[in-house]
């Protein structure tokens, strides 16, 4: 077969508001956030044109709501028009946020765009080369689609290269609502070669071959639960039908969490310097993107009592933003959380006879005893092999050093609860 390429995207959520931000955000920051979903979409279109792909696939949730804005619809179609003028086809299915029964303006879509209806359709990618590649897709007729749509599809013709376009929850992802639920086995039984999925906002390759099953995630993070690089997959199918995946970031603003330990920080100036340094490092690692940050102060140290003074954290946040919000790209700290505690002399408390001393000795003993570490690992096995979580945790089963690290974290959390009153 002749090789071809396409871009797999999903969950554009055009015109979606950013959540969790205070009203005091500077106007230029607010404008960047308002435009971010549109800018990410424009970057997708630019990527398609620059790479000269054959098609763009969008796996649902083009818009953020069924009553989509006119602005979002116009911007979406303008991007499809650009693709059409460059000889690139587009295939769109609709999901729970933009079902077919939502309000829609009577606007003209380019002839090279195919929007799937409420029943599975098979559409040729290359109209002048029938049988080369086919996209099978279906849209949600209404928001609450709780039935398994894949089982209504049937098997595809194995002589073609087959792509499935679907907005669905595969294998009961607990972090997303169970819209159009199905399993990996359901997808495999169709004979489709590549499943282009949407709905899950974190990129994830569920299966690498027979079939390849991919969530690209949303192309623009919109709140603190959508951190890190966001984008699409550039998919290459070679002469033998082998599939190559390349993630391409297209986001313009990134959400990040930063944790700053105050244990070695002596003065307020030291703390402010540390925060500025961490923001600078985050910008350097952000690939030219602007950042929205949530910073968490942790650890034990003498600065704890100053951080608890009324208004101190707000002043600290303002000082940080005064220096970084006007940068290009900018960094905006939306909040600083104080998770610190006062100083704690571990060696001194180890000599005691109370519950805290017993806890510290137990942690030390466990880290030194292979048998106790083995029992701890065994007690955690139910979590790491639980059917809901094993696909995320199967490669993260801790070895002895990792278990010791978990013990250190558990000890720190317990001490913060047990001895806070003694040191505040």
């Amino acid at each position: 077969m002749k090789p071809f390429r396409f871009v797999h995207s999903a969950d554009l959520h055009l015109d979606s508001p950013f959540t969790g931000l205070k009203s005091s955000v500077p106007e230029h920051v607010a404008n960047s956030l308002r435009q971010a979903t549109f800018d990410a979409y424009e970057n997708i279109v630019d990527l398609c044109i620059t790479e000269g792909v054959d098609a763009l696939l969008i796996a649902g949730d083009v818009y953020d709501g069924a009553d989509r804005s006119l602005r979002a619809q116009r911007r979406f179609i303008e991007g499809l028009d650009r693709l059409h003028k460059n000889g690139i086809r587009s295939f769109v299915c609709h999901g729970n946020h933009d079902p077919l029964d939502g309000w829609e303006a009577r606007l003209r879509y380019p002839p090279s765009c195919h929007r799937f209806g409420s029943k599975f359709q098979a559409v040729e990618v290359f109209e002048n080369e029938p049988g080369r590649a086919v996209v099978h897709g279906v849209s949600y007729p209404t928001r609450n689609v709780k039935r398994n749509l894949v089982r209504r599809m049937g098997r595809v013709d194995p002589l073609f290269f087959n792509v499935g376009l679907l907005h669905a929850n595969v294998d009961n992802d607990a972090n997303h609502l169970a819209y159009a639920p199905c399993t990996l086995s359901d997808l495999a039984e169709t004979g489709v070669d590549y499943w282009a999925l949407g709905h899950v906002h974190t990129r994830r390759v569920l299966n690498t071959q027979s079939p390849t099953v991919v969530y690209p995630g949303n192309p623009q993070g919109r709140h603190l639960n959508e951190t890190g690089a966001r984008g699409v997959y550039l998919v290459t199918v070679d002469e033998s039908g082998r599939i190559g995946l390349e993630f391409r970031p297209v986001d313009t603003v990134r959400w990040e969490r930063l944790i700053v330990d105050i244990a070695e920080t002596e003065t307020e100036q030291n703390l402010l310097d540390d925060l500025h340094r961490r923001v600078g490092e985050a910008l350097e690692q952000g690939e030219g993107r602007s950042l929205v940050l949530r910073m968490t102060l942790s650890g034990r140290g003498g600065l704890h009592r100053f951080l608890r003074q009324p208004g101190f954290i707000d002043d600290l946040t303002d000082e940080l933003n005064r220096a970084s919000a006007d940068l290009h790209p900018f960094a905006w700290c939306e909040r600083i959380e104080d998770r610190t505690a006062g100083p704690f002399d571990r060696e001194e408390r180890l000599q005691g006879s109370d519950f805290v001393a017993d806890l510290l000795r137990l942690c030390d003993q466990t880290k030194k005893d292979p048998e106790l570490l083995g029992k701890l690992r065994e007690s955690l096995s139910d979590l790491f092999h639980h059917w809901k979580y094993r696909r995320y945790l199967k490669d993260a089963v801790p070895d002895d050093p990792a278990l010791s690290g978990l013990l250190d974290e558990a000890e720190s959390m317990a001490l913060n609860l047990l001895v806070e009153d003694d040191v505040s």
Side-chain angles (χ1 to χ4, degrees):
M1 63 176 289
K2 292 171 64 176
F4 68 99
R5 297 195 301 166
F6 60 90
V7 167
H8 170 198
S9 67
D11 300 285
L12 305 180
H13 290 275
L14 295 177
D15 217 5
S16 172
F18 277 55
T19 58
L21 293 176
K22 298 178 180 179
S23 58
S24 58
V25 175
E27 187 61 26
H28 74 282
V29 173
N31 285 337
S32 294
L33 300 183
R34 280 192 291 267
Q35 289 296 321
T37 55
F38 294 117
D39 291 342
Y41 173 55
E42 292 299 321
N43 288 342
I44 294 172
V45 174
D46 289 342
L47 173 67
C48 291
I49 295 171
T50 301
E51 292 290 341
V53 300
D54 298 292
L56 168 65
L57 276 61
I58 304 175
D61 285 1
V62 172
Y63 309 107
D64 196 52
D67 295 329
R68 56 213 70 164
S69 71
L70 179 62
R71 179 171 82 136
Q73 293 180 65
R74 282 295 309 143
R75 293 287 292 273
F76 181 55
I77 293 175
E78 286 171 3
L80 301 181
D81 283 333
R82 287 179 57 205
L83 295 177
H84 175 72
K85 291 174 182 176
N86 284 273
I88 299 170
R89 297 202 66 190
S90 53
F91 297 86
V92 181
C93 74
H94 294 269
N96 56 291
H97 277 271
D98 61 345
L100 296 176
D101 65 356
W103 175 79
E104 185 172 76
R106 288 170 288 186
L107 302 176
R108 186 182 303 108
Y109 280 75
S112 59
C113 172
H114 184 86
R115 300 166 69 204
F116 289 95
S118 60
K119 295 182 180 180
F120 265 105
Q121 298 170 278
V123 183
E124 299 275 359
V125 177
F126 304 95
E127 294 177 305
N128 297 326
E129 298 178 69
R132 183 176 169 189
V134 176
V135 177
H136 306 260
V138 65
S139 291
Y140 287 27
T142 189
R143 177 181 176 87
N144 293 312
V145 174
K146 298 300 180 68
R147 62 186 182 275
N148 187 329
L149 296 177
V150 178
R151 291 178 183 171
R152 300 184 175 208
M153 177 180 171
R155 285 193 61 82
V156 301
D157 190 332
L159 296 179
F160 305 151
F161 186 92
N162 294 283
V163 179
L165 186 63
L166 180 66
H167 197 80
N169 188 322
V170 178
D171 282 348
N172 194 28
D173 187 308
N175 295 316
H176 291 77
L177 295 173
Y179 290 121
C182 61
T183 65
L184 270 175
S185 296
D186 293 330
L187 299 177
E189 287 172 5
T190 64
V192 164
D193 300 287
Y194 181 97
W195 275 102
L197 300 178
H199 186 48
V200 173
H201 284 193
T202 301
R203 72 178 184 270
R204 193 174 301 159
V205 178
L206 300 185
N207 212 48
T208 56
Q209 57 184 346
S210 302
T212 299
V213 182
V214 177
Y215 283 110
N218 58 339
Q220 174 58 61
R222 301 163 301 144
H223 49 72
L224 200 62
N225 291 329
E226 297 179 347
T227 57
R230 301 272 154 173
V232 298
Y233 274 101
L234 176 61
V235 184
T236 301
V237 182
D238 69 12
E239 294 87 347
S240 62
R242 287 178 300 192
I243 298 169
L245 294 174
E246 184 181 353
F247 175 75
R248 291 293 188 89
V250 297
D251 52 349
T252 60
V253 181
R254 286 189 185 164
W255 291 74
E256 298 289 358
R257 295 176 182 264
L258 300 181
I259 299 176
V260 178
D261 194 322
I262 69 161
E264 304 298 325
T265 307
E266 296 181 355
T267 68
E268 293 87 341
Q269 183 64 59
N270 295 149
L271 176 61
L272 197 55
D273 291 344
D274 286 346
L275 295 179
H276 283 305
R277 176 179 56 79
R278 292 297 302 278
V279 170
E281 292 172 351
L283 282 170
E284 288 179 5
Q285 297 166 10
E287 301 177 297
R289 272 71 174 182
S290 292
L291 303 177
V292 179
L293 303 172
R294 169 77 60 84
M295 307 192 78
T296 300
L297 305 180
S298 67
R300 291 181 171 275
L303 278 182
H304 167 69
R305 64 189 180 94
F306 297 103
L307 294 172
R308 291 298 174 92
Q309 292 181 1
F312 186 88
I313 291 293
D314 288 340
D315 289 346
L316 194 62
T317 306
D318 290 342
E319 281 298 307
L320 198 60
N321 284 331
R322 191 166 61 86
S324 59
D326 290 330
L327 298 175
H328 300 282
F330 67 78
W332 176 258
C333 179
E334 55 91 32
R335 187 183 307 174
I336 295 177
E337 295 180 333
D338 179 19
R339 301 287 177 83
T340 64
F344 177 76
D345 191 330
R346 192 177 189 279
E347 293 304 316
E348 180 181 339
R349 293 301 293 264
L350 265 173
Q351 309 308 315
S353 57
D354 58 358
F355 178 78
V356 171
D358 290 341
L359 172 67
L360 297 177
R361 285 191 286 268
L362 177 61
C363 289
D364 287 349
Q365 181 183 0
T366 303
K367 285 186 284 188
K368 295 175 183 177
D369 189 329
E371 183 178 349
L372 286 176
L373 282 175
K375 289 181 178 179
L376 177 59
R377 184 183 298 104
E378 184 178 343
S379 67
L380 291 172
S381 64
D382 287 345
L383 170 65
F384 283 89
H385 295 93
H386 189 279
W387 66 272
K388 281 188 178 181
Y389 312 121
R390 61 190 173 207
R391 63 175 169 161
Y392 310 113
L393 299 177
K394 64 181 180 181
D395 297 323
V397 178
D399 54 15
D400 285 359
L403 276 176
S404 294
L406 289 175
L407 277 171
D408 289 337
E409 291 183 34
E411 176 189 300
S412 178
M413 293 171 66
L415 290 175
N416 285 345
L417 295 172
L418 291 169
V419 303
E420 176 68 25
D421 290 339
D422 294 344
V423 297
S424 59

